[in-house]
Amino acid sequence: MLSHTRLKVCVVVAAVCWFALLIYVMSSLRGQPGGPADSTKHIDTLRQAGNIALARVAKSQALLSEFLQHAWKGNVSLNHSQSSNRHVSSSRLTSGGKDILKVVVSGDADSLLGVMAMMNSVATNTHHPLHFYVTLPSAVIPHFNKWISQTKLRTAGLTVKPHPPKVPQKRSHYAKIYIKNIFPNLKGSFVYLDPDIIVQGDISELLNTPIITSQFGAFTKDCFSTSRHLSLTHQYYSFHLNLLHPAIHALKIHPNTCVPNTGVFVSQMHLWANASHQMQELISSSTINEPIHSSMADEGEAAVLAVIYGHMAPLPRVWHLPDLGLKARVSYSKHFVQSAKLLHWNGHFKPWSRKAAFSDVWLRYYLADPSGKYRPARISL
């Protein structure tokens, strides 16, 4: 009888201990007091102290915290307080009483498989009318149009335009600077997505990200990469810009500021048009002897980074899980990747060209080219 009573006491004590531990863990995952901003300061302090291992742990904790908070509270972008100078996602185009969501993408022959899969993922997981604004090299457009016409994407709204002459060959990312020039009829809010992306959530949530008048768009920035082979300094402004260039120096950019990832962003067209004008002026000021970019970057990306410095709203972390293409294997669990609303294979390991982390997720949205001209490297048709 006595042993049975002791057993019951032990069970109760164990349950209390586990409950206390659960409260502690959940509290720590919510970040430091003050929210995500203080979590970022905590990570920066560890980084500056040279404790990279602890900083990576803190970064992973902060990342997981934001994912959990999104699950607990619903769409975090809808929980922001209303502001008189907030730009709400809106469109003059409507279909059946719903706003048409606008998605901009730039690609080329090397990334056309990615363009198709990205568009398919958006269309599959979004329950609102869509209109894709796609810009490609002129030579690729006829094949792209024929390919689209033979898939389920033919029912989505589509505008296809060629890259302007100012977009260098093999550098389709320059096109984000010229969105207003390429698509003069595009108005209101839009989301820009690189081709190496898969969207697992409803894109309307992302388009509800608040942006104020002093900002050019909403981006994510992160000083810590999932790749152990990528120097942390590569993710600072000093790595991408020539800070001694007069036009760059005038912006008073702190060299150790984390660079944003420009492969995913939300903006309003009139705000982005203003930013684009400044970007083009910076590119014009760049010369061979005095470039605006470092030796490890190009002037297109440097111009974007310089202009949006200090003028960025934050994207919800759940809407951007980057760096999946920095190496062949990434130490995220499948459950963690499934919980992300947007996956980004930025880096050399693209899921359609070589072995890449979580390429099976990308393959779910792969749309075969009926002609067989474009196909993933690991699939023979």
Side-chain angles (χ1 to χ4, degrees):
M1 183 69 178
L2 181 61
S3 61
H4 180 68
T5 301
R6 287 179 178 175
L7 178 61
K8 291 175 65 177
V9 171
C10 291
V11 170
V12 172
V13 171
V16 171
C17 290
W18 275 109
F19 183 70
L21 179 61
L22 178 62
I23 292 176
Y24 171 77
V25 172
M26 299 303 272
S27 298
S28 66
L29 285 175
R30 288 178 181 271
Q32 303 298 319
D38 284 344
S39 295
T40 302
K41 291 179 182 178
H42 177 60
I43 294 170
D44 288 340
T45 300
L46 290 171
R47 172 181 55 77
Q48 292 169 3
N51 198 333
I52 301 302
L54 285 179
R56 289 184 185 278
V57 172
K59 179 247 180 167
S60 298
Q61 186 185 63
L63 183 64
L64 181 57
S65 172
E66 291 192 44
F67 272 60
L68 289 176
Q69 287 176 10
H70 189 281
W72 292 328
K73 298 179 181 179
N75 181 12
V76 293
S77 65
L78 298 179
N79 291 330
H80 288 270
S81 59
Q82 297 294 324
S83 173
S84 59
N85 61 348
R86 169 181 168 177
H87 290 280
V88 181
S89 184
S90 62
S91 172
R92 294 180 182 273
L93 298 174
T94 60
S95 176
K98 292 185 178 181
D99 288 340
I100 294 180
L101 309 180
K102 288 159 282 190
V103 179
V104 179
V105 58
S106 175
D108 54 26
D110 293 335
S111 62
L112 200 57
L113 280 162
V115 172
M116 296 294 295
M118 184 275 287
M119 292 174 62
N120 186 30
S121 71
V122 173
T124 299
N125 295 305
T126 300
H127 308 296
H128 296 74
L130 289 164
H131 193 100
F132 292 99
Y133 293 82
V134 182
T135 178
L136 300 164
S138 298
V140 178
I141 290 178
H143 189 94
F144 173 77
N145 285 333
K146 186 176 181 179
W147 190 350
I148 284 281
S149 69
Q150 299 179 59
T151 70
K152 60 183 180 181
L153 292 176
R154 64 182 179 275
T155 60
L158 180 65
T159 299
V160 185
K161 295 288 185 179
H163 285 163
K166 292 182 179 180
V167 175
Q169 189 175 8
K170 301 289 185 179
R171 295 192 176 181
S172 60
H173 61 275
Y174 272 64
K176 68 186 68 164
I177 298 173
Y178 304 102
I179 292 175
K180 180 63 176 178
N181 305 80
I182 301 171
F183 304 109
N185 295 326
L186 174 57
K187 301 183 186 303
S189 60
F190 67 92
V191 57
Y192 174 89
L193 301 175
D194 273 351
D196 52 357
I197 280 171
I198 288 297
V199 174
Q200 300 187 123
D202 192 319
I203 205 74
S204 64
E205 295 180 18
L206 184 59
L207 279 161
N208 280 325
T209 304
I211 304 171
I212 61 175
T213 53
S214 61
Q215 297 166 334
F216 292 136
F219 299 80
T220 56
K221 57 181 180 179
D222 195 344
C223 275
F224 300 97
S225 166
T226 58
S227 173
R228 295 180 181 177
H229 305 292
L230 184 67
S231 170
L232 295 178
T233 59
H234 288 200
Q235 298 181 34
Y236 301 144
Y237 264 89
S238 57
F239 179 75
H240 296 268
L241 304 182
N242 174 14
L243 298 173
L244 298 179
H245 187 282
I248 300 295
H249 183 72
L251 297 174
K252 299 180 180 179
I253 295 173
H254 193 286
N256 289 334
T257 301
C258 301
V259 296
N261 188 309
T262 64
V264 181
F265 65 87
V266 177
S267 186
Q268 290 270 338
M269 194 63 251
H270 69 283
L271 297 176
W272 192 250
N274 182 19
S276 297
H277 178 71
Q278 298 179 44
M279 294 170 194
Q280 293 178 51
E281 287 186 339
L282 270 182
I283 290 176
S284 298
S285 70
S286 185
T287 64
I288 295 177
N289 295 327
E290 197 170 34
I292 63 172
H293 57 92
S294 72
S295 60
M296 301 299 293
D298 61 51
E299 60 185 13
E301 187 69 4
V304 175
L305 293 174
V307 170
I308 64 177
Y309 177 81
H311 299 280
M312 295 173 286
L315 278 181
R317 171 59 69 181
V318 74
W319 269 102
H320 193 188
L321 182 57
D323 300 341
L324 297 179
L326 292 181
K327 56 182 182 178
R329 299 184 65 182
V330 178
S331 56
Y332 288 140
S333 70
K334 288 186 177 181
H335 179 73
F336 185 69
V337 170
Q338 289 171 355
S339 68
K341 298 295 185 77
L342 185 149
L343 309 177
H344 192 183
W345 281 267
N346 54 303
H348 294 296
F349 291 84
K350 305 301 183 187
W352 60 82
S353 62
R354 60 173 73 180
K355 184 178 180 181
F358 302 103
S359 57
D360 58 313
V361 179
W362 183 88
L363 285 169
R364 294 174 196 165
Y365 300 99
Y366 160 66
L367 292 175
D369 176 8
S371 74
K373 180 177 180 179
Y374 296 94
R375 60 191 181 196
R378 299 180 312 282
I379 293 181
S380 58
L381 302 176

